[in-house]
Structures are given as structure tokens and as C-alpha cells.
Amino acid sequence: EIVMTQSPATLSLSPGERVTLSCRASQSVSSNLAWYQQKPGQAPKLLIYGASTRATGIPARFSGRGSGTEFTLTISTLQSEDFGVYYCQQYNYWPPETFGQGTKVEIK
Amino acid sequence: QVQLVQSGPEVKNPGASVKVSCKTSGYRFNSYGITWVRQAPGQGLEWMGWISPYIGDTKYSQKFQGRLTMTTDTSTSTAYLELRSLEFDDTAIYYCSRDRAPTDYWGQGTLVTVST
């Protein structure tokens, strides 16, 4: 089973700041990596797939990079509506399609 | 539009079984698999398994082997998750989603509470 490790666990930032979240895989997952945003009481929302392709309707301030074992999600200019928990998920090796433990983004 | 609508909350005793449904609409049911993911209170997302409505093939996380069964009813475009021998740690919100990752079509979630 591929283990996905996200860092940091929590970020507390002000609107307008640049945010970078990290995700590491225990072995190469190529570019088969997705990022999701989840807000309280809601299902996850797909942001990025294929490590760097934005899903439909996702603003350009969200960008993904990486391949192999190291991945990042960057929010170029943090907006107040970007609070939530962000999860990475690999879908290269399955079952299972493992998730990271999440990074909580709090807005100051 | 694509919709996945799940059944309502459940409260079960330890050792019991629960069956959660996921009724789909807005797309051809046989053309996409269904994935089930759960989330314990305050915890992260946990992938449970996947089923193909077309051929009935299933892939389960080894963690749930032996007490998890996923099925589909193509006549009603509905997927089902059955989890047996429930434990307190099975208390979670259970989500269905369309096909394998990456997916942007999710059900609203079903809270299953295991309690005495």
C-alpha cells in the first residue's frame, strides 16, 4: 500500500498570502496524483488531477506540481473562501487509492 | 446533471450490519464504477473500495476484506455498501463517488453511528 504523507498538518495564514502544501508518496506514483479541498459538512471537491491539471471551474490561483514521490499544491493569493482541509490522493497503484492525512488551512 | 444521492443516517449496535445506498442519475450507470470512501469524525478520508456496475468486478481495501460487500442494481442505477460486524471505530460518514480517482462527483454522505 502506498503511504501518502502531507505537510504541514495545519497552516494559519492571512488573505493575500501565498500558500504551498506538500505531499510525499512512499514510492513513485508517476503523475497520478489528485488534490481535493474539503469544507466542514461537505464532500471533497476535486481541485487538481494528473498532478498539475486544474479541474473544471477551479480558479487559476490553484496550481499543482510534481511527479514521482514529491508533489506540491500552491495557492498563489489566498482568498477567505479557501479555508478547509486539503487532501492529496494517489491513484497509480490500487487498491487502495490512498489519501494523505490532510493539511488544514485556516484563515487568520 | 450528474447526481449521487445517498440514504439517510443509521445508528447500529456493535456487531450489527449496515447497508448504505447511493442512487445515481444524470449519466449512464454502467459506464462508470462507484468508489466508497469513509471519514471518521474529525479524521481524514479512507478509501474502502470500488465496484464496476457493468461487470460486477470489485476491488476492496484489504483492511475491510471479509466484512465488506459492494453491490449494484443496474435497474435502479443504485450502488450499495454493506459493512458487517460493526465496531465503534466504524462510526463515520460514508461517501460514494463516481468511478475511480480523480472524481468530482460525490454523494452527500451517510452518517453511520455505531453505539450501544
Side-chain angles (χ1 to χ4, degrees):
Chain A
E1 175 175 325
I2 306 294
V3 177
M4 307 300 291
T5 303
Q6 292 186 240
S7 61
T10 305
L11 282 171
S12 184
L13 300 155
S14 299
E17 289 193 86
R18 182 181 180 89
V19 183
T20 298
L21 313 181
S22 294
C23 175
R24 174 176 293 178
S26 59
Q27 65 186 78
S28 175
V29 296
S30 186
S31 294
N32 296 312
L33 189 285
W35 289 94
Y36 297 87
Q37 176 196 64
Q38 188 181 33
K39 296 187 177 184
Q42 297 183 16
K45 177 181 180 180
L46 179 66
L47 299 175
I48 300 283
Y49 62 93
S52 61
T53 302
R54 279 190 302 276
T56 303
I58 301 304
R61 65 180 183 271
F62 291 91
S63 62
R65 295 188 63 179
S67 66
T69 62
E70 300 284 342
F71 301 89
T72 58
L73 174 70
T74 298
I75 309 173
S76 60
T77 307
L78 191 67
Q79 305 292 311
S80 57
E81 62 264 30
D82 297 335
F83 78 93
V85 182
Y86 291 78
Y87 294 95
C88 62
Q89 181 192 24
Q90 70 81 23
Y91 49 96
N92 194 59
Y93 294 105
W94 75 301
E97 295 176 327
T98 43
F99 292 92
Q101 80 278 20
T103 292
K104 185 176 183 179
V105 174
E106 298 175 333
I107 307 296
K108 281 183 180 178
Chain B
Q1 72 280 23
V2 175
Q3 286 191 310
L4 292 84
V5 179
Q6 298 183 225
S7 49
E10 302 266 10
V11 179
K12 296 291 183 181
N13 290 326
S17 299
V18 68
K19 194 168 187 177
V20 178
S21 68
C22 172
K23 184 170 177 58
T24 72
S25 60
Y27 71 96
R28 186 175 177 181
F29 184 62
N30 279 357
S31 296
Y32 298 86
I34 295 287
T35 293
W36 291 90
V37 171
R38 77 177 185 179
Q39 186 170 38
Q43 303 301 308
L45 301 167
E46 182 175 32
W47 190 93
M48 300 183 70
W50 169 92
I51 183 168
S52 164
Y54 181 65
I55 58 175
D57 187 26
T58 53
K59 303 284 188 189
Y60 298 147
S61 170
Q62 195 166 7
K63 176 177 179 177
F64 303 102
Q65 290 281 1
R67 66 184 190 108
L68 174 63
T69 301
M70 295 179 183
T71 56
T72 60
D73 182 345
T74 55
S75 68
T76 60
S77 300
T78 302
Y80 298 91
L81 172 146
E82 181 180 29
L83 190 61
R84 299 176 293 279
S85 303
L86 289 170
E87 304 170 356
F88 294 118
D89 288 351
D90 292 318
T91 294
I93 297 174
Y94 289 74
Y95 292 102
C96 61
S97 63
R98 192 180 80 165
D99 213 8
R100 290 185 54 197
T103 181
D104 205 16
Y105 297 106
W106 296 75
Q108 82 277 19
T110 296
L111 176 62
V112 175
T113 303
V114 182
S115 174
T116 57

